[in-house]
Amino acid sequence: MNIWQTILFISILSLGTLNSQDAGENIFSYKINLEYYADDIFHVTCYPPKLTSADTIYNFVAFAPGVHQVLDFGRYVKSFYAYDTKGEEITVENVSTNKWKISNPTEVHKIKYDIEDTFDADVEEDLIYPMSGTGIKDEYIIINTQGVIGYFDERKSDPVTLDIIYNTDWEIGTALVKNDNGSYKADSYYHLADSPILLGNLTVSSTKIGNIDVEAYVYSPVDEINSDKIIELADEVLNSAYEFTTFAPVDRYTFLMYFFDKETAKNNPIFRRAGALEHSYSSTYALPAMPHFLPHIAGIIAHEFMHILSPLNLRSEFIANFDYSKPTAEDRHLWLYEGVTEWVSKIMQLRSGLLTIDKYMSDISKKINSSERFGNDYSLTRLSAEWFTEEGKTKYGNIYQLGALTAGALDLRLLELSNGKRGLREVYLELIGKYGKDKPFNNAAFFDEFVEITYPEIKDFIDDYIKDNKPLHYDEIYNKLGIEYIESRPSENKTPIFGLRFTEGEDGLIKINGFSKEHKNFGLQEGDHILEIFGTEATWANSDSLIAIKNEMNPGDEYIIKVKREDEELEFTSELVRRMDYHVFEVNEDAHDEHLKLREQWSKNLKLN
Ligand SMILES: [Zn+2]
């Protein structure tokens, strides 16, 4: 008997007398049939345990942990039915985007619904990023479980089982484990929603890092990208992660990666975004299938993997008992989940020798430059509270810049106050030891607790740089390590620049969407569309050749630029400017002894008590 027949046999049994309802357990038993997936729809059947009269609403996920966008998976539901034990239909009503009201829940024996994948559904607004969505493609299927399976509000802690019927020539990857009868099992809806599944024509590889079994499942349209390559890339960063934590917060970790080619990105706007999403025991990656992009993947893996520390093992009650129906506005600790995680993903590489101090500091420099573009209206706690508002969405990206920069500054403040004995790593690991996966911290009290276990001076740091957004003084912060800060200096790259920021505009033209600090005002305005530059017609498609012309010129050289502003055509004489570098750091090898000592302590993982 092959596996295919086993699954079929079990599912026939479960239709009969042996389903979980009869066994008297509180198990929600799901089945997704992917045997025929040409219709591009997930066919889902659920055998719930005995429902109560309070279980009137079946919900689809609107928001999910770690995903900072509206999901509203209810938008993708095509049909929804509930049946009693006699197979008679029970009335259901779609009362809002994500909610189906069941008229007589206590009689429900079976729920059946069809839900489309998010990759190519008929939805135009709020497109879901490919790493957080669901996809049925010829060669692979990604089930971000929270996008396919819903929940009853009061039953999110009940266990769930999941049978997937699929083509057995395919590989299947997930952090979920199977029970004796071959179904995947999850302790609760939270656990299921946190456990994506990738199946298809995948390559599969594994390795062991410390005590952690690491697996990679990879779908790629090009042979140069495969699971062996991913494991090879992951190996070094995961080892540096292990040196940083010194213990295994999980015993198994699964990478689920699906790569897409240029053609796919061209034809489907969803794939103009790429990225990764962390889960507690796994992470999903939707990335362009470009072999030259591979070196960047190690950095992405480092960030996603370090989420096993936070939020998995250090998070507030709002994240632990996640409300999938609304954005998490109450939680104040995005600075920790994303900022500290991003800092860890870099500093651990410095401390294990994968990054030199120069390389680490050039990353800090990039982050300062990127952070500046977000302006300074949003503190880190304001980002936590308002990331989902129209304005907040445009600021959210700063959590990876300012959040990481602030964590770096906090580390140095702690090292300084403890005479180099206890930095952010040591405090962080101590808190993880105290809380861990099963014990969320108190959202409101956490800052006070952080101060209590460190120094009274840390209260000022939190007030000024996390709750408020006073500017960090990078000169003072890094001078303590004997690293000089230079606010600006002419770049070693001698080619001149326009001093303009560009984006693709209307009718294939180049649109001016901002000015760099070097720009001198010649009358150009944001929103102008460029018609001609250097006497040559300008289009988004020929911008490379225009840049080549510019690169042959010198700072101070004049040029004529013709633009369209509403219905007017205007001509300006502008000047190329010298390229500058901002927020640069230089390691001083002859620094003060005290600074060298702190640098030494900062650049190594300290011994843990
Ligand atoms: Zn993250």
Side-chain angles (χ1 to χ4, degrees):
M1 194 186 277
N2 66 28
I3 298 164
W4 162 245
Q5 286 164 323
T6 312
I7 290 172
L8 193 65
F9 182 59
I10 288 161
S11 58
I12 289 167
L13 280 181
S14 69
L15 287 170
T17 53
L18 280 178
N19 73 45
S20 54
Q21 199 163 325
D22 298 316
E25 291 177 76
N26 280 335
I27 298 173
F28 280 83
S29 155
Y30 279 90
K31 188 177 82 178
I32 304 176
N33 193 334
L34 294 169
E35 190 186 0
Y36 306 105
Y37 58 93
D39 61 358
D40 217 22
I41 285 174
F42 293 103
H43 302 282
V44 184
T45 310
C46 169
Y47 294 93
K50 186 82 191 145
L51 296 178
T52 72
S53 53
D55 301 322
T56 51
I57 304 282
Y58 189 90
N59 300 273
F60 289 90
V61 164
F63 290 89
V67 184
H68 293 92
Q69 68 168 167
V70 181
L71 294 169
D72 281 344
F73 284 111
R75 295 180 289 168
Y76 300 87
V77 175
K78 300 306 270 181
S79 66
F80 189 97
Y81 299 99
Y83 300 94
D84 65 15
T85 45
K86 294 193 208 89
E88 301 282 337
E89 233 179 284
I90 295 171
T91 314
V92 296
E93 190 192 348
N94 181 199
V95 290
S96 66
T97 308
N98 299 300
K99 293 181 190 297
W100 270 258
K101 187 174 177 188
I102 300 173
S103 60
N104 197 355
T106 55
E107 292 301 310
V108 172
H109 169 67
K110 178 168 87 171
I111 294 167
K112 254 181 106 104
Y113 59 88
D114 284 351
I115 182 166
E116 272 192 277
D117 68 330
T118 66
F119 280 4
D120 41 25
D122 226 359
V123 165
E124 273 164 20
E125 264 181 38
D126 291 323
L127 294 178
I128 297 174
Y129 300 151
M131 59 283 191
S132 326
T134 54
I136 299 177
K137 309 279 280 180
D138 291 343
E139 295 284 300
Y140 74 92
I141 294 174
I142 175 69
I143 310 174
N144 265 305
T145 31
Q146 59 205 11
V148 177
I149 293 179
Y151 62 93
F152 289 95
D153 254 327
E154 300 301 319
R155 309 298 290 264
K156 286 184 288 189
S157 299
D158 288 349
V160 184
T161 63
L162 173 61
D163 275 318
I164 299 178
I165 299 174
Y166 65 102
N167 171 0
T168 49
D169 291 342
W170 279 12
E171 296 284 351
I172 184 161
T174 177
L176 288 171
V177 293
K178 287 182 173 176
N179 60 22
D180 295 342
N181 68 12
S183 314
Y184 289 108
K185 55 177 181 179
D187 304 340
S188 63
Y189 181 75
Y190 300 109
H191 179 198
L192 181 81
D194 191 26
S195 309
I197 301 162
L198 177 66
L199 54 160
N201 283 320
L202 316 177
T203 50
V204 182
S205 308
S206 61
T207 187
K208 198 154 180 118
I209 310 283
N211 297 325
I212 310 174
D213 289 315
V214 177
E215 299 167 309
Y217 294 84
V218 177
Y219 167 74
S220 167
V222 299
D223 292 341
E224 298 97 308
I225 301 174
N226 53 52
S227 57
D228 281 348
K229 256 258 121 62
I230 297 301
I231 286 286
E232 192 187 307
L233 283 170
D235 200 61
E236 281 186 329
V237 288
L238 296 186
N239 271 304
S240 76
Y242 203 74
E243 283 174 33
F244 185 90
T245 57
T246 72
F247 66 99
V250 294
D251 50 22
R252 186 171 155 233
Y253 194 87
T254 309
F255 292 102
L256 304 175
M257 299 190 166
Y258 34 110
F259 290 83
F260 51 86
D261 55 23
K262 253 197 188 142
E263 206 52 26
T264 308
K266 212 174 109 194
N267 297 329
N268 186 341
I270 286 181
F271 294 99
R272 282 174 214 153
R273 298 274 196 156
L277 176 63
E278 82 278 11
H279 293 278
S280 302
Y281 308 97
S282 58
S283 37
T284 53
Y285 302 74
L287 299 170
M290 299 186 293
H292 71 263
F293 186 76
L294 276 172
H296 299 288
I297 294 177
I300 304 174
I301 286 176
H303 176 100
E304 302 309 331
F305 183 74
M306 290 325 275
H307 278 304
I308 57 173
L309 297 183
S310 181
L312 174 62
N313 280 288
L314 193 60
R315 64 205 161 145
S316 80
E317 70 274 23
F318 292 106
I319 305 297
N321 308 311
F322 197 83
D323 182 344
Y324 298 91
S325 71
K326 57 182 186 87
T328 48
E330 297 92 343
D331 180 272
R332 286 289 173 275
H333 301 287
L334 205 51
W335 71 278
L336 175 73
Y337 316 135
E338 291 302 343
V340 172
T341 298
E342 177 61 13
W343 167 76
V344 168
S345 77
K346 291 291 184 316
I347 197 96
M348 71 184 195
Q349 295 188 61
L350 170 80
R351 290 176 180 172
S352 67
L354 283 184
L355 290 179
T356 61
I357 295 185
D358 284 330
K359 189 87 191 48
Y360 179 84
M361 292 314 297
S362 89
D363 187 70
I364 296 281
S365 165
K366 272 190 209 139
K367 282 188 160 53
I368 300 172
N369 283 295
S370 314
S371 179
E372 260 182 358
R373 299 202 190 119
F374 291 98
N376 57 1
D377 303 336
Y378 278 66
S379 70
L380 297 174
T381 48
R382 186 171 176 203
L383 274 178
S384 270
E386 297 179 36
W387 64 266
F388 53 88
T389 64
E390 273 316 303
E391 192 185 51
K393 276 185 213 166
T394 68
K395 308 287 181 186
Y396 172 70
N398 205 14
I399 199 72
Y400 302 102
Q401 321 300 330
L402 186 61
L405 291 165
T406 307
L410 177 58
D411 179 44
L412 278 165
R413 188 78 181 110
L414 287 165
L415 281 171
E416 187 187 27
L417 290 165
S418 67
N419 277 322
K421 292 205 166 55
R422 189 167 167 248
L424 181 55
R425 167 178 171 263
E426 293 69 38
V427 175
Y428 189 40
L429 295 178
E430 188 182 312
L431 284 163
I432 287 164
K434 173 175 173 188
Y435 287 101
K437 177 175 150 312
D438 299 318
K439 194 173 158 200
F441 61 70
N442 180 322
N443 177 61
F446 188 67
F447 283 128
D448 291 340
E449 181 183 354
F450 198 101
V451 173
E452 215 165 281
I453 65 163
T454 56
Y455 303 91
E457 289 89 340
I458 295 300
K459 182 178 186 311
D460 299 333
F461 185 96
I462 291 170
D463 288 347
D464 290 349
Y465 306 114
I466 297 179
K467 293 183 180 175
D468 197 355
N469 51 338
K470 297 216 169 110
L472 289 162
H473 294 284
Y474 298 106
D475 47 351
E476 283 171 30
I477 295 168
Y478 288 99
N479 271 345
K480 289 173 200 160
L481 300 175
I483 296 173
E484 310 292 335
Y485 166 81
I486 300 141
E487 196 176 343
S488 69
R489 69 179 178 198
S491 176
E492 280 173 17
N493 181 343
K494 294 282 189 285
T495 57
I497 57 171
F498 291 110
L500 308 172
R501 292 215 178 90
F502 304 112
T503 182
E504 188 173 358
E506 296 158 14
D507 308 323
L509 294 175
I510 304 167
K511 183 171 111 176
I512 298 176
N513 77 334
F515 302 97
S516 77
K517 286 187 211 164
E518 300 91 340
H519 176 73
K520 291 178 193 155
N521 185 3
F522 294 97
L524 290 168
Q525 287 181 10
E526 207 172 320
D528 287 349
H529 281 75
I530 303 175
L531 299 170
E532 258 183 53
I533 200 163
F534 311 129
T536 305
E537 189 192 355
T539 62
W540 187 249
N542 78 352
S543 50
D544 283 354
S545 62
L546 300 170
I547 288 168
I549 300 174
K550 176 211 64 154
N551 286 349
E552 293 301 312
M553 297 168 71
N554 294 305
D557 285 356
E558 287 189 345
Y559 65 95
I560 292 173
I561 181 167
K562 237 187 236 177
V563 300
K564 185 168 83 87
R565 184 178 298 160
E566 286 166 8
D567 294 331
E568 270 183 295
E569 280 191 17
L570 304 163
E571 189 176 290
F572 297 96
T573 302
S574 296
E575 200 177 275
L576 292 177
V577 288
R578 178 180 294 279
R579 189 187 295 268
M580 300 289 289
D581 289 337
Y582 297 95
H583 311 294
V584 190
F585 293 93
E586 261 188 8
V587 179
N588 177 3
E589 296 307 340
D590 308 313
H592 203 283
D593 277 353
E594 208 177 301
H595 294 164
L596 289 177
K597 194 175 152 208
L598 192 63
R599 191 195 296 170
E600 176 69 20
Q601 290 157 332
W602 164 79
S603 61
K604 297 266 150 47
N605 287 319
L606 296 172
K607 240 180 129 171
L608 295 170
N609 291 323

